[in-house]
Amino acid sequence: MSDIVRPYGDTSGDGMVQVSFTLPIPHDKRAEGAAAQLAAKMGIEPALVVHAKAIGPSYTFFVVYGPVHHLVDLREVAVVEREFAMLSAKEVDSAIKTRLGRPLVVVGACIGTDAHTVGIDAILNVKGFAGEKGLEAYAQLHVVNLGAQVLVPDLVDRALAERADAVLVSQVVTQRDAHLLNTREMAAAFREACPAGEVPLLVVGGPRFDEGAAGALGVDRVFGRGTSPAEVASYLVHALVNEGAAR
Ligand code: B12
């Protein structure tokens, strides 16, 4: 396979892409022309407006289809590789039991005004996600799920009261970078409340996080779209229980 690729639409390498966006103008012929102009400025030329729909009297939603002339160099793609081994539930429980000698305490929440609990529930609840059971199903994980719209000071208080080994926070809403601001606030609050070396493992997750941003956000690990409970359980063992774990 070549290291250089182009998008595929109707025929190999034709460069076809489809994008959607909204313009703050009423739906009419001029609006469709405006959408085509924007697409051309984005490098999609000739652009075909394949869908245009009014969203109320003053906005129009568009789908535009057309070719780009850009190439992707696969050798320059940067990804965060999983740095830990995937374990079965049995291996997770056994590692915690033999090396820690007590259940590992996990406190989870969706912080700020964010009410999207489906993601954190997918990781924590027994019923889990995509056929995998959540962390509550592990015999050696004690899970406290605080639910939605938890204030950072309340999360810190509860995590300290539970003597949490790990704090798992979900952020789904990204409007005005709320997920980044809330995460930084949370990380700073734990660092202020806990003596050095006693901060619980801080983990955030949500569909629009950059998995490489842990350091910049002040947390230990970031999980993105499509994370599975087993990945999180395996990571907890890697970070907290295995020989050479950071704490
Ligand atoms: C369901 C839903 C709702 C439900 C939430 C119900 C609930 N109890 O959660 C309701 C109807 C309440 C809702 C409300 C709103 N919503 Co809404 N919602 C959605 C929707 C359709 C699905 C989200 C979801 O459940 N995904 C399924 C889960 C399993 O996936 P996930 O969250 O990504 O989680 C996975 C990973 O990200 C990761 N993960 C997530 N968290 C964590 C945490 C940890 C620790 C780890 C390890 C991993 C992890 O693991 C999970 C499993 O793989 C999305 C659109 C979409 N298709 O995604 C919009 C969406 C998130 N909502 C959106 C918006 C705007 C809103 C509202 C503001 C709408 C409004 N104007 O009122 C309100 C906000 C309410 C609030 N205060 O937060 C926007 C957000 C846009 C943005 N840029 O932020 C979206 C993207 C829709 C859109 N395209 O506009 N919403």
Side-chain angles (χ1 to χ4, degrees):
M1 194 180 75
S2 163
D3 285 324
I4 306 293
V5 293
R6 299 183 64 189
Y8 170 102
D10 302 313
T11 54
S12 300
D14 60 11
M16 299 303 267
V17 299
Q18 182 168 296
V19 297
S20 63
F21 51 85
T22 301
L23 290 178
I25 43 178
H27 179 209
D28 55 18
K29 282 277 169 206
R30 191 180 64 128
E32 296 198 12
Q37 186 193 106
L38 177 65
K41 286 181 175 168
M42 291 163 71
I44 305 172
E45 204 167 16
L48 210 56
V49 178
V50 292
H51 178 73
K53 189 165 173 38
I55 307 176
S58 320
Y59 294 84
T60 310
F61 172 75
F62 300 95
V63 178
V64 173
Y65 182 65
V68 293
H69 303 283
H70 311 85
L71 303 173
V72 177
D73 187 339
L74 297 177
R75 290 164 302 193
E76 288 172 15
V77 175
V79 289
V80 177
E81 295 290 351
R82 185 161 38 79
E83 72 280 26
F84 52 90
M86 285 299 288
L87 305 176
S88 67
K90 230 175 171 177
E91 289 170 324
V92 167
D93 279 336
S94 146
I96 298 173
K97 198 168 184 177
T98 49
R99 301 209 192 107
L100 204 63
R102 61 165 175 84
L104 199 137
V105 181
V106 174
V107 172
C110 197
I111 60 171
T113 57
D114 203 331
H116 294 86
T117 48
V118 179
I120 188 79
D121 288 346
I123 301 298
L124 298 181
N125 286 3
V126 173
K127 70 174 186 258
F129 180 66
E132 256 182 37
K133 290 212 185 308
L135 302 191
E136 284 176 356
Y138 290 68
Q140 295 298 320
L141 290 176
H142 173 62
V143 176
V144 181
N145 185 350
L146 301 179
Q149 301 192 327
V150 177
L151 300 175
V152 166
D154 294 343
L155 173 65
V156 173
D157 286 350
R158 188 65 186 271
L160 296 185
E162 296 284 348
R163 303 172 69 87
D165 296 292
V167 174
L168 268 54
V169 159
S170 180
Q171 287 287 267
V172 174
V173 172
T174 60
Q175 288 161 336
R176 299 201 176 99
D177 283 344
H179 61 315
L180 307 179
L181 299 172
N182 289 340
T183 300
R184 288 200 189 98
E185 183 197 337
M186 182 270 298
F190 273 102
R191 297 224 149 72
E192 203 178 304
C194 306
E198 290 179 30
V199 179
L201 187 78
L202 301 179
V203 178
V204 287
R208 296 192 186 181
F209 275 110
D210 169 2
E211 291 205 337
L217 294 174
V219 297
D220 295 287
R221 186 66 157 83
V222 175
F223 284 92
R225 195 163 37 90
T227 304
S228 72
E231 277 179 272
V232 180
S234 301
Y235 170 70
L236 292 177
V237 169
H238 163 79
L240 292 169
V241 177
N242 273 351
E243 240 170 274
R247 54 205 70 219

